[in-house]
């Protein structure tokens, strides 16, 4: 106690209170920071089950119903041939009609020199076209919209 | 068809979603843990303040703080009971900022703002407490009740018109505050509509950008050899922004004008990822500022103070200089709550310390450490808001979340930058900390909407698509 004799006990406890308040602020931030880190780790660790989905917005006699949706792989081919990822039984669709690829951060659409062409928002696709969520693609008589993947439920 | 289409939720399932499915209460442990830290910290802070003022160790008068913490608990429990799966970090962060605000308002002279209701006089802390409780209630109600965004999405032009009407009403019926025409009074209650207009503006811009994002991002106008953004498609938004900027600038509300413009620019960039817009916007901003500097005495005065506050230390530069001295006397650890803020002639040395310059008060009494902690809280809000935007289900929700986040964070940056003389001072409040009902209520609306947008427990109702509906009649439906 002798070391403390020279100190005013009140001043000391006041100083401790001040520091405790500041420490509390940082304890709070530390807690928040840990939660944010955990949240980000979980988000980066769980790869989404799908990268996007195609929703049918316009169909034809005997085609998939409007509103049906197809989860997409990183490379999704569309055509009349049954070996395509999405096989469309439509006479206006070529055997190997178009391919959708996910490269890095976004989707791209390529027409595989089909007879009737592939249309992106009404414009014919020449070469490889970047494809955004909400864009409409027409393949033969089938019209599909690229939608965001369904959010993954957090564990 | 080799790929089997997934079944769409049937009509029955969707209507049950709409009528609200069974409520399943869910614990929110992280929120509770953080709120407990907030409560403990604020109690220590209050003890520190009360002891400094009393001269002996005491907890002081805990009425207001206890009631505030109780209100937080009520909101927390309401979230649990209604079973919403919302963000768990935003509420504690806002609670911490609001609590610090309450402490600072208790510490400042109570006669800075006095209002009389039914024969009783209410001082600064009482009034701020009332507004905080009202804001918490609004925040909780919005977070729990808002289940669909269609009322925002579908009526964007109506909202825009309402916002402009509100600004024009201030123009006609407004009252002056510190040389700026800001207040609109309905009976005894006065408010600053420019605070609410910022939210309305974001709703409009998110709606417009969500609809026209593709065009704005891809198309372009050719002027000679230059490829400019498609300017015609910017006209509706530009017009809205122009009117808002014109009105608030005419009312000398430079802070709001700057906030609207910056949020517009950031949101445009988020929606289109085209740097050309940012460059163009900054050029327009520089040109506009140069013109305003020449023709507008207020702007010139603010810039001159910023460049050299010592030119007129007892007059124009007084406020800014006093704030700088406050930061200096605070140092790293601060003077402690209740120990700083030397007064000049009975009033605190910094004019408007309870509102625009509240960050200077925090800088003096909590020091660099405390001020940085407050800034970190805004960073956390930014992170949460952008995460909500990144995981949003569609363009409108993403842009809305990003815009709402920007409104809070950019506003804090503008006023903190002004306080520390990093940028010219433009009067605007520090969200959740400054005294003032309009500011608290508007920012509570922002956070309430963010929380509602972050809910993952309920799938949002399908956005109405008239075109899709037309196809649905043609298309064949599976049972």
């Amino acid at each position: 106690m002798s070391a403390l004799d020279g100190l005013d006990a009140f001043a000391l406890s006041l100083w401790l209170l001040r520091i405790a308040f500041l420490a509390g602020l940082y304890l709070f931030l530390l807690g928040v920071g840990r939660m944010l880190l955990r949240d980000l780790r979980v988000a980066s660790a769980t790869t989404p089950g799908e990268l996007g989905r195609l929703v049918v917005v316009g169909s034809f006699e005997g085609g998939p119903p409007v509103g049906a949706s197809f989860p997409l792989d990183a490379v999704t081919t569309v055509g009349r041939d049954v070996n395509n990822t999405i096989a469309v039984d439509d006479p206006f669709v070529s055997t190997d009609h178009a391919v959708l690829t996910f490269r890095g951060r976004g989707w791209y659409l390529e027409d595989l020199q089909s007879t009737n062409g592939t249309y992106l928002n009404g414009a014919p696709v020449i070469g490889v076209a970047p494809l955004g969520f909400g864009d409409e693609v027409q393949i033969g008589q089938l019209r599909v919209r690229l939608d965001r993947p369904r959010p993954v439920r957090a564990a | 068809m080799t790929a089997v289409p997934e079944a769409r939720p049937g009509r029955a399932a969707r209507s049950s979603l709409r009528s609200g499915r069974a409520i399943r209460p869910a614990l929110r442990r992280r929120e509770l843990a953080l709120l407990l830290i907030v409560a403990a910290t604020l109690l220590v802070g209050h003890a520190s303040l009360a002891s400094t003022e009393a001269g002996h160790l005491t907890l002081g008068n805990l009425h207001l703080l206890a009631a505030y913490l109780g209100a937080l608990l009520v909101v927390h429990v309401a979230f649990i009971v209604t079973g919403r799966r919302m963000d768990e970090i935003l509420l504690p962060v806002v609670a911490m900022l609001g609590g610090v605000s309450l402490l600072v308002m208790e510490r400042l002279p109570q006669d800075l703002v006095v209002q009389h209701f039914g024969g009783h006089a209410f001082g600064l802390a009482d009034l701020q407490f009332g507004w905080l409780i009202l804001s918490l209630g609004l925040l909780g109600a919005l977070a729990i009740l808002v289940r669909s965004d269609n009322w925002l999405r579908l009526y964007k032009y109506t909202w825009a018109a309402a916002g402009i009407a509100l600004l024009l009403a201030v123009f006609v019926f407004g009252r002056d505050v510190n040389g700026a025409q800001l207040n609109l009074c309905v009976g005894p209650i006065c408010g600053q509509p420019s605070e609410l207009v910022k939210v309305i503006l974001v709703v409009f811009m998110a709606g417009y950008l969500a609809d026209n994002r593709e065009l704005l991002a891809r198309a372009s106008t050719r002027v000679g050899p230059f490829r400019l953004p498609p300017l015609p498609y910017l006209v509706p938004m530009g017009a809205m922004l122009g009117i808002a900027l014109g009105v608030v600038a005419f009312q000398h509300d430079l802070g709001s004008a700057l906030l609207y413009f910056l949020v517009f620019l950031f949101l445009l960039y988020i929606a289109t990822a085209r740097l050309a817009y940012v460059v163009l916007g900054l050029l327009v901003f520089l040109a506009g500022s140069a013109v305003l500097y020449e023709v507008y005495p207020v702007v010139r005065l603010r810039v001159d103070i910023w460049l050299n506050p010592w030119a007129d230390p007892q007059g124009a530069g007084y406020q800014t200089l006093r704030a700088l001295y406050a930061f200096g006397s605070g140092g790293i650890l601060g003077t402690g709550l209740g120990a700083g803020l030397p007064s000049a002639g009975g009033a605190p040395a910094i004019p408007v310390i309870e509102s625009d310059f509240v960050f200077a008060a925090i800088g003096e009494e909590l020091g660099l450490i405390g001020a940085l902690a407050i800034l970190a809280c805004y960073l956390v809000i930014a992170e949460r808001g952008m995460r909500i935007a990144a995981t949003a289900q569609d363009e409108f929700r993403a842009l809305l979340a990003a815009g709402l986040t920007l409104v809070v964070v950019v506003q804090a940056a503008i006023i903190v930058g002004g306080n520390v003389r990093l940028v010219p001072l433009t009067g605007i409040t520090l969200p959740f900390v400054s005294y003032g009902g309009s500011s608290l209520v508007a920012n509570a609306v922002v956070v309430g909407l963010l929380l509602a947008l972050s809910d993952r427990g309920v799938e949002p109702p399908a956005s109405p698509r008239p075109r899709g509906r037309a196809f649905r009649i043609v298309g064949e439906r599976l049972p």
Side-chain angles (χ1 to χ4, degrees), chain B residues 261 264-265 275-286:
Chain B
F261 186 75
F264 164 77
L265 216 55
L275 264 178
Y277 284 123
V278 180
V279 174
L280 206 66
L282 288 179
L283 287 178
V284 169
F285 177 72
L286 285 180

Side-chain angles (χ1 to χ4, degrees), chain A residues 10 13-29 31-32 34-36 38-40 43 50 53 57-71 82-89 120-121 130-136 143 145 147-154, chain B residues 1-6 8-9 30 33-34 37-38 41-42 44-45 47-48 51-52 55-57 89 92-93 96 100 103 213-214 218 333-337 366 368-370 372-374 376-377 380 383-384 387 390-395 398 456-457 459 465 467-468 471-472 474-478:
Chain A
F10 170 63
S13 41
L14 204 56
W15 187 81
L16 284 176
L17 271 179
R18 272 173 51 199
I19 300 303
F21 179 51
L22 293 177
L25 282 176
Y26 279 86
L27 182 67
F28 173 71
L29 288 173
V32 169
R34 285 184 52 167
M35 286 179 195
L36 294 187
R38 224 186 95 203
D39 180 60
L40 284 175
E50 56 186 53
R53 46 179 51 230
V57 293
S59 190
F60 52 91
E61 211 43 53
V66 171
S69 68
F70 305 95
V82 289
N83 288 323
N84 284 299
T85 321
I86 298 176
V88 187
D89 191 14
L120 172 56
N121 295 329
L131 189 62
F133 292 113
D135 281 346
E136 242 175 55
R143 292 162 66 94
R145 187 182 70 230
D147 271 15
R148 285 168 187 280
R150 294 227 174 114
V152 193
R153 274 296 145 81
Chain B
M1 302 296 310
T2 43
V4 180
E6 286 177 31
R8 210 153 49 104
R30 301 157 127 203
L34 289 179
I37 302 181
V38 169
T41 307
L42 291 178
V44 171
S48 155
S51 305
T52 310
H56 55 90
L57 282 184
I89 294 171
V93 172
M96 182 61 104
V100 170
L103 289 184
R213 192 183 67 86
E214 286 305 313
R218 298 252 173 89
L333 285 179
T335 58
L337 277 171
L366 302 183
L368 176 70
I369 299 272
L372 284 180
I374 298 295
C377 286
V380 172
E383 202 274 350
R384 292 321 292 170
R387 287 278 299 151
T391 52
Q393 277 114 342
D394 64 19
E395 309 288 341
R456 282 178 304 187
E459 274 204 33
R465 282 183 176 269
R467 279 184 305 153
F471 281 116
R472 212 164 282 162
V474 179
E476 206 178 302
R477 194 196 297 266
L478 285 181

Side-chain angles (χ1 to χ4, degrees), chain B residues 59 159 179 226 479:
Chain B
L59 265 178
W159 284 111
F226 299 107

Side-chain angles (χ1 to χ4, degrees), chain B residues 174-437:
Chain B
R175 296 188 190 172
D176 283 16
V177 185
N178 309 322
Q181 197 179 14
L182 295 175
N183 267 14
L184 189 65
C185 292
V186 180
I189 296 186
C190 290
Q192 296 187 3
S194 63
E195 288 280 349
L196 269 180
V197 169
K198 74 185 183 189
V199 184
I200 294 175
L201 211 57
V202 163
V203 170
F204 169 74
M205 288 194 286
Y208 186 82
L209 285 172
D211 286 353
N212 300 287
R213 192 183 67 86
E214 286 305 313
L215 270 174
L216 291 168
R218 298 252 173 89
S220 54
T221 352
R222 272 181 186 280
V223 180
F226 299 107
R227 289 188 59 202
L228 291 174
L231 300 177
Y233 299 109
L234 281 175
V235 166
M237 215 161 40
M240 168 77 191
L241 185 74
I243 296 171
L245 283 186
V247 174
V248 291
F250 209 78
Q251 292 160 351
H252 296 186
D253 189 358
L254 296 178
S256 296
L258 185 60
L259 174 67
Y260 295 169
F261 186 75
L262 287 179
V263 168
F264 164 77
L265 216 55
F266 282 137
L267 213 50
L268 197 56
Y269 179 66
I270 289 175
T272 61
R274 281 183 75 162
L275 264 178
Y277 284 123
V278 180
V279 174
L280 206 66
L282 288 179
L283 287 178
V284 169
F285 177 72
L286 285 180
S289 310
V291 171
L292 283 180
Y293 183 82
E294 289 303 324
V295 302
Y296 215 13
V298 184
V299 175
R300 185 182 311 195
L301 184 67
R302 292 292 170 80
V303 174
D304 289 346
I305 292 173
W306 172 56
L307 289 175
N308 185 11
W310 285 273
D312 186 8
Q314 288 303 317
Y318 183 72
Q319 198 177 24
T320 302
L321 276 184
R322 276 297 180 174
L324 290 180
Y325 282 130
F327 284 113
S329 89
I332 289 178
L333 285 179
T335 58
L337 277 171
L341 296 169
S343 58
I350 309 174
V352 218
I353 190 160
E354 77 278 11
S355 166
D356 291 1
F357 273 88
V358 74
F359 192 71
I362 291 173
E364 176 164 15
E365 303 216 318
L366 302 183
L368 176 70
I369 299 272
L372 284 180
I374 298 295
L375 288 186
C377 286
Y378 291 105
L379 273 187
V380 172
I381 292 179
E383 202 274 350
R384 292 321 292 170
M386 288 303 166
R387 287 278 299 151
I388 292 170
T391 52
Q393 277 114 342
D394 64 19
E395 309 288 341
F396 175 73
R397 286 172 151 248
L399 287 170
L400 185 61
L404 292 173
T405 313
L406 280 173
V407 153
V408 174
V409 176
V410 171
Q411 182 170 345
I414 289 176
I415 190 59
V416 168
N419 274 200
V420 300
R421 208 167 72 90
L422 191 67
V423 294
L425 175 70
T426 48
I428 201 164
T429 55
L430 185 61
F432 306 112
V433 182
S434 285
Y435 168 77

Side-chain angles (χ1 to χ4, degrees), chain A:
Chain A
M1 280 305 290
S2 60
L4 283 176
D5 281 347
L7 277 172
D8 184 350
F10 170 63
L12 182 66
S13 41
L14 204 56
W15 187 81
L16 284 176
L17 271 179
R18 272 173 51 199
I19 300 303
F21 179 51
L22 293 177
L25 282 176
Y26 279 86
L27 182 67
F28 173 71
L29 288 173
L30 190 73
V32 169
R34 285 184 52 167
M35 286 179 195
L36 294 187
L37 268 182
R38 224 186 95 203
D39 180 60
L40 284 175
R41 254 188 225 123
V42 168
S44 66
T46 52
T47 46
E50 56 186 53
L51 300 163
R53 46 179 51 230
L54 285 181
V55 178
V56 177
V57 293
S59 190
F60 52 91
E61 211 43 53
V66 171
S69 68
F70 305 95
L72 293 178
D73 301 336
V75 178
T76 300
T77 57
V78 186
R80 214 174 60 237
D81 192 278
V82 289
N83 288 323
N84 284 299
T85 321
I86 298 176
V88 187
D89 191 14
D90 173 7
F92 291 91
V93 172
S94 300
T95 316
D96 294 304
H97 195 109
V99 60
L100 289 109
T101 44
F102 186 81
R103 304 178 191 172
R105 302 176 58 83
W107 280 99
Y108 292 85
L109 174 64
E110 192 179 355
D111 181 59
L112 299 175
Q113 279 148 18
S114 62
T115 315
N116 294 311
T118 304
Y119 293 83
L120 172 56
N121 295 329
V125 174
I126 300 152
V128 180
L131 189 62
F133 292 113
D135 281 346
E136 242 175 55
V137 177
Q138 176 156 13
I139 295 167
Q141 300 177 71
L142 184 71
R143 292 162 66 94
V144 287
R145 187 182 70 230
L146 180 68
D147 271 15
R148 285 168 187 280
R150 294 227 174 114
V152 193
R153 274 296 145 81

